[in-house]
Amino acid sequence: MLLSRYLSISSDHFDHLPIGSDHFCVRFVSVLVVKTDRKAREGRRGDGKRGADVSGSGCFRRVLVANRGEIAVRVIRTCRKLGIETVLTVSDADAGSLPARLADKVIRIGAAPAGDSYLNVDAVVGAAVAAEVDAVHPGYGFLSENARLARACAAAGIVFIGPTPETLEAAGDKLAAREHALAAGLPVLPGGRIGPGDSAGGSGSVGSRGDVGSRGDVGSRGSAGSPGDVGASGSAGASGSAGASGDVGARGDAGGLGEAARVAGRVGFPVLVKAAGGGGGRGLRVVREPGELADAVSVASAEAGAAFGDPRVYLERYVERGRHVEVQLLGDGERVIQLGDRDCSVQRRYQKLIEEAPAPGLEAGLRERLRAAAVTLGQHLGYRGAGTVEFLVDAERGEFYFLEVNARIQVEHPVTEAITGLDLVAEQIAIAEGRPLRLRQEDVTLAGHAIECRINAEDPARDFRPSPGMISRAVFPVSASRGVRVDTHAQAGAAVPPYYDSLLAKVIACGVDRGEALETLRDALDRCVIEGVVTNLEMQRAVIASPGFADGGVDTGYLARWLAGESGDGDGVESPGTVRDDAGLDLDRGAGRGVADG
């Protein structure tokens, strides 16, 4: 009989932290991660054969990581802690990357472009079969919400670490998710599908009662529209059914650009063109005038197709101001719990740059309604795995709208780990192994505050143009005793290919409250050095130092106004920029050694 032992979350750079420390960040290392030795885990599988039960009933011996960059490092590290062997699929561009050196086995699956490698379902599944893995972890982005991959894994006798294919179709597909949100009683923005064959339901999208029309419309006070807008506090209307204003017609299907014009006419400009098959800011365009619509739909569709292998797009009303707040869920297909909320309102062109947990400045009742709404939707979906329900919030009015479900691990999951003490990747694996949730809602405790900054290889002075190249030096703070965590794949000698997302590192700081977390983050960013490629590090230092961000509760348009010098709170404040190498890790000194990660 296998006895699961609850040990520390323990990323490598947290292991040295004394358990007796009275610093808040002891939570990083003090709670609940299922951990067993490899021999015991193998014993649980009985005959030890791969795919004995694709529903996941037993411990995994070997997991294929179908991703790259920092999330691949993140998953590999947790698998190592759990005694699970890892196999990494890589493109030709990533064969010499840090994740490739950390994995137990590496399989090349194609050329550098994502369509030839990371988005190739057949190549990923073929590698999984060849490596005789028990499960596939897709990370985020790429194929992480792809139902075809989940089904192909099941057909090969391999567990997909994520929701069921049916849930991926219902939640990962943004159009279908809108329909499910309405059915579960959540408020949504008016809008609808604009292309043929979309699967958001038969009777149209949002109706006059379900689309929050008169009372849910936040107009100019809404949100920067980024991944969404703001919503009404009660339910999605009495029936939440399709009706006139957001409806796309009785069939709910095609019409191409003509249908786009009709939907936009019903919704009213400005509108937001959104990708149906993925998130992360890809396939999103704001359209303020009818004459801009055709080009926006075309560009958004092409971008979505390149990023997710799915060119479908849809329209939603765009609201000028609001906050992006999301709720983290865990479910086992029977029960769903929430792990608190996050604020992701600091965005540029729908790409999140700074995230924090919990969301600052929300009224207690509004916070509870958001969390309850997320759980209600998760239960409606029979959700299994880790997922996030995103909302657009008008904190002043106490209103919110459902935006979408991210049916995967999120980039910003470390801030939730910081305030809960949980390892969300370990929780994903445990659920995929067929284990019921080991936590009840009352077992979840939230303490302190955490903030994350994304460091990207892009040039803010040149309209954030990507900056591929070779990293010549990388220095990150790694002292958990100071409340700092760094998730990264960047190191001296590492290539930054031009084919993928530009994320190099995530710097996470925690504290007993937001003020302490912010002070810790400022110090941590001052200690970071990345040379050889241009990054947004200096800009992030300045944003963190700005009075508007320090006050908390900015809307999704804040960064754009700050960059344009229109925020009125000291735009362009220079960071001290002091780097103290004695307090950080200089990755010049040894390729792959001591890389800071979670």
Side-chain angles (χ1 to χ4, degrees), residues 245 258-269 271 290 293 315:
S245 80
E259 185 64 26
R262 285 189 288 274
V263 174
R266 295 186 186 106
V267 169
F269 289 92
V271 296
L293 185 61
L315 298 186

Side-chain angles (χ1 to χ4, degrees), residues 430-522:
I431 292 166
E433 287 177 329
R435 307 176 191 280
L437 286 178
R438 60 187 178 79
L439 296 171
R440 299 167 300 173
Q441 189 62 62
E442 56 266 32
D443 297 326
V444 177
T445 59
L446 308 176
H449 199 95
I451 309 175
E452 171 183 289
C453 263
R454 302 191 192 189
I455 308 305
N456 298 329
E458 58 189 18
D459 188 353
R462 303 179 70 185
D463 196 27
F464 293 84
R465 181 179 300 180
S467 177
M470 185 75 69
I471 296 174
S472 58
R473 188 179 181 214
V475 180
F476 298 106
V478 294
S479 177
S481 63
R482 292 190 174 93
V484 178
R485 163 180 170 177
V486 180
D487 285 15
T488 186
H489 63 289
Q491 59 177 353
V496 180
Y499 310 100
Y500 317 114
D501 186 88
S502 61
L503 180 64
L504 297 179
K506 302 180 307 194
V507 180
I508 305 103
C510 65
V512 294
D513 55 27
R514 188 173 188 268
E516 182 176 294
L518 187 56
E519 182 179 352
T520 300
L521 181 59
R522 288 169 178 161

Side-chain angles (χ1 to χ4, degrees), residues 250-340:
R251 293 178 58 208
D253 62 5
L257 294 176
E259 185 64 26
R262 285 189 288 274
V263 174
R266 295 186 186 106
V267 169
F269 289 92
V271 296
L272 188 66
V273 184
K274 301 182 71 175
R282 303 295 195 276
L284 282 166
R285 290 292 184 278
V286 176
V287 183
R288 299 186 179 279
E289 302 291 340
E292 302 170 356
L293 185 61
D295 284 347
V297 169
S298 177
V299 172
S301 178
E303 190 175 89
F308 312 116
D310 181 353
R312 292 174 306 137
V313 295
Y314 64 105
L315 298 186
E316 279 184 346
R317 176 178 292 164
Y318 176 84
V319 185
E320 296 294 342
R321 291 197 181 183
R323 293 174 60 185
H324 180 119
V325 178
E326 58 192 34
V327 178
Q328 178 69 58
L329 298 182
L330 279 181
D332 60 11
E334 299 290 335
R335 290 193 301 117
V336 176
I337 62 173
Q338 52 85 11
L339 304 180

